[in-house]
Amino acid sequence: MSSDTPPSHHRWSWRSQAFRGIVYQVLAIVAIVAVVWFLAHNTLVNMRVRGIQSGFDFLSQAAGFDIGESLYPFDSEQPYWQAFLVGVTNTLRVAIVGIILSTLLGTLLGIGRFSRNALVRGVCLSYVEAFRNIPVLLQLLMWYVILTEVLPSADVAWQVGDFFLSKGGLNYPIPVWAAGQLWAAFGLLAGVALVLLYRCWAKRQFETTGQLRSAFWVPVLILVACSLAGWALGGAPTELNRPVKGDFAIENGGALTPEFLAVLIGLTLYTASFIAEVVRGGIASVPRGQGEAASALGLSQQQEMRLVMLPQALRVIIPPLTNQYLNLTKNSSLAVAIGYPDVVSIANTALNQTGRAVECISLVMLVYLITSLGTSLLMGWYNSRAAIKER
């Protein structure tokens, strides 16, 4: 045994700092559990004294209300837990699409701040200063008013091909589901797998030979080719469910409601302004000599940004970018102000009908806690992949 290793009987002695640390942590956990138990018990007792019902048994009862927008059919005879599930899917629908769009837009704006064109820099700066300094709730209300008051009615909707834009939302054609679409989906999945393999091969080739492979057009070509191959193997179906103008509304096809569009546009434009500043700060943190070295090697400005600046800036960008993703997800709760049926809206309706305030609010808190923790874990994993590895 090494002389630096303390004897085993000292490890469990009060003189051991590690042992005292364990004791303090156990006492802290016990105290927290006791406080939570006391608050929960006290709340239940007071509710019982006042004749207020409690418990989650209401989740199995019929909801008794319809939901105007859902990814799958729902009617008032279905239980409350399915209504909450509709609200969760609507929240995730806005959050996921909004994160993708705001990341793309914010990255372009952040890179545009370093453009050599003064007009591009000015436009990007003006966008950021305008959208991030207006409260997001006002932006949601503004877009909702534009979509429901400024746009034309359904009978005179703006039409581009089979796409219609009106006060009723955006209507678009959708494929009639058949085996061909299933084969096309399989082809798309195969294309994603091939793209991942191609990117790994291209990275090894670049590290070994210094030869740069296409990081955009070849992956896009692979995805398109695989999807078309799957579609052809499925019989190349071309039948579409196209929207048509009805007497009072656009019928058939798929539709995005004004509420969904207002929430998505508002959150995307608002969050993109913050992401643009995150990207700008990350790129600015890279030493100027890196860009000068890239120029000396003959790299174009686009290659310099994509191959030199952004990879080094990622370690600075990802942590604050995670915060913006969490903010977008939590800001989606403001959708209740314009009537979008997210999980908060469903919980409010259930609360008014059942009186189970504590339970409904707890479910909403649990949903946002799980989504936020999931986002943090995913971004933490990506951050560890993007971190600079020291040899």
Side-chain angles (χ1 to χ4, degrees), residues 206-354:
F206 178 72
E207 293 174 350
T208 303
T209 65
Q211 185 176 3
L212 184 63
R213 304 286 179 176
S214 173
F216 178 77
W217 291 113
V218 171
V220 169
L221 182 61
I222 293 175
L223 288 176
V224 173
C226 291
S227 300
L228 290 176
W231 174 72
L233 289 174
T238 57
E239 185 179 0
L240 294 175
N241 182 7
R242 293 182 169 87
V244 294
K245 287 185 179 180
D247 295 333
F248 303 101
I250 307 297
E251 302 173 352
N252 301 329
L256 299 177
T257 63
E259 293 78 12
F260 173 78
L261 289 175
V263 174
L264 180 62
I265 295 173
L267 292 180
T268 297
L269 298 181
Y270 178 75
T271 308
S273 63
F274 288 91
I275 293 178
E277 283 297 279
V278 170
V279 173
R280 184 197 63 80
I283 296 174
S285 69
V286 179
R288 183 177 300 178
Q290 296 293 315
E292 295 173 350
S295 299
L297 292 174
L299 297 180
S300 64
Q301 187 179 12
Q302 180 183 4
Q303 291 174 329
E304 172 189 334
M305 184 62 67
R306 181 166 58 88
L307 300 175
V308 178
M309 307 300 287
L310 279 179
Q312 296 185 68
L314 274 180
R315 59 190 176 91
V316 179
I317 291 175
I318 293 176
L321 184 63
T322 303
N323 292 335
Q324 298 308 320
Y325 289 168
L326 298 179
N327 289 337
L328 187 149
T329 303
K330 290 180 287 188
N331 285 337
S332 66
S333 61
L334 297 174
V336 67
I338 59 175
Y340 180 70
D342 69 330
V343 66
V344 176
S345 176
I346 301 299
N348 286 339
T349 304
L351 187 155
N352 292 330
Q353 293 189 174
T354 63

Side-chain angles (χ1 to χ4, degrees), residues 117-195:
N117 189 312
L119 178 60
V120 174
R121 293 198 307 270
V123 169
C124 294
L125 176 61
S126 300
Y127 175 95
V128 171
E129 294 302 327
F131 280 92
R132 74 172 179 171
N133 290 304
I134 300 176
V136 62
L137 180 58
L138 294 181
Q139 295 191 38
L140 295 182
L141 294 174
M142 178 192 70
W143 287 111
Y144 182 68
V145 170
I146 291 175
L147 291 170
T148 56
E149 299 296 335
V150 177
L151 292 181
S153 57
D155 56 338
V156 288
W158 294 341
Q159 180 178 0
V160 178
D162 290 327
F163 292 82
F164 296 86
L165 182 61
S166 66
K167 292 181 178 179
L170 176 64
N171 298 81
Y172 54 90
I174 56 176
V176 177
W177 186 255
Q181 278 74 24
L182 184 62
W183 278 95
F186 288 151
L188 180 61
L189 293 177
V192 171
L194 289 176
V195 166

